């Protein structure tokens, strides 16, 4: 079954609304161990196989295009391991459906442009904690 990005973003927002901020959604490629993404609160964790400073490396890799008008910054990272990106305002605070759509589009672009596997691939496996 293909990944339903709007659904997983909906699950994340539902848990945030319920004030369960430790809720984590992990999306992994069943065939490639180094291809994954985690969503938790307003953070996105990704593999980071690079050694340079993430803000510069990720900007060079197109994160400005991936995030569009949404502010993002590096919260934590370890060279050759992971990077945690925090995202800012997704739009008007009263338009939650639009915010979900914006984040779903960002996640789709991360899967495809950064991780290199189409969002609709059958290889994605989702787990929740």
């Amino acid at each position: 079954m293909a990944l339903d990005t709007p659904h997983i973003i909906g699950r994340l927002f539902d848990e945030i609304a319920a004030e369960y901020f430790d809720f984590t959604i992990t999306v992994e490629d069943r065939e490639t161990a180094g291809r994954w993404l985690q969503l938790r609160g307003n953070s996105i964790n990704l593999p980071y196989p690079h050694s340079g400073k993430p803000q510069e490396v990720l900007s060079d890799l197109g994160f400005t295009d991936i995030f569009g008008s949404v502010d993002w910054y590096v919260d934590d990272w370890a060279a050759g391991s992971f990077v945690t990106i925090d995202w800012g305002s997704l739009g008007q605070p009263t338009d939650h459906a639009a915010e979900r759509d914006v984040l779903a589009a960002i996640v789709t672009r991360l899967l495809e442009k950064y991780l290199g596997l189409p969002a609709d691939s059958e290889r994605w496996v989702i787990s929740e904690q």
Side-chain angles (χ1 to χ4, degrees):
M1 180 183 317
L3 180 67
D4 183 352
T5 309
H7 174 76
I8 65 171
I9 298 306
R11 287 281 303 126
L12 178 70
F13 274 56
D14 290 348
E15 296 299 324
I16 290 171
E19 298 184 6
Y20 184 39
F21 302 112
D22 288 338
F23 179 75
T24 303
I25 297 173
T26 302
V27 179
E28 300 174 277
D29 177 353
R30 75 176 87 240
E31 296 179 17
T32 305
R35 186 178 285 147
W36 54 268
L37 173 147
Q38 288 182 319
L39 301 166
R40 181 178 178 191
N42 74 319
S43 296
I44 302 172
N45 295 315
L46 299 158
Y48 188 72
H50 312 284
S51 57
K53 292 182 180 181
Q55 193 76 32
E56 296 167 11
V57 171
L58 298 176
S59 291
D60 289 345
L61 290 173
F63 268 47
T64 301
D65 292 333
I66 289 172
F67 279 81
S69 64
V70 175
D71 292 332
W72 63 277
Y73 67 93
V74 175
D75 180 57
D76 194 13
W77 69 289
S81 184
F82 75 93
V83 62
T84 301
I85 305 294
D86 282 357
W87 43 268
S89 173
L90 297 171
Q92 299 299 324
T94 57
D95 191 354
H96 299 298
E99 291 177 331
R100 291 175 189 222
D101 291 345
V102 168
L103 187 56
I106 290 169
V107 169
T108 296
R109 290 190 296 267
L110 284 169
L111 295 171
E112 295 177 352
K113 295 181 179 189
Y114 182 72
L115 297 177
L117 188 63
D120 63 356
S121 174
E122 301 282 332
R123 290 172 35 181
W124 293 118
V125 177
I126 303 161
S127 60
E128 298 179 358
Q129 298 175 320

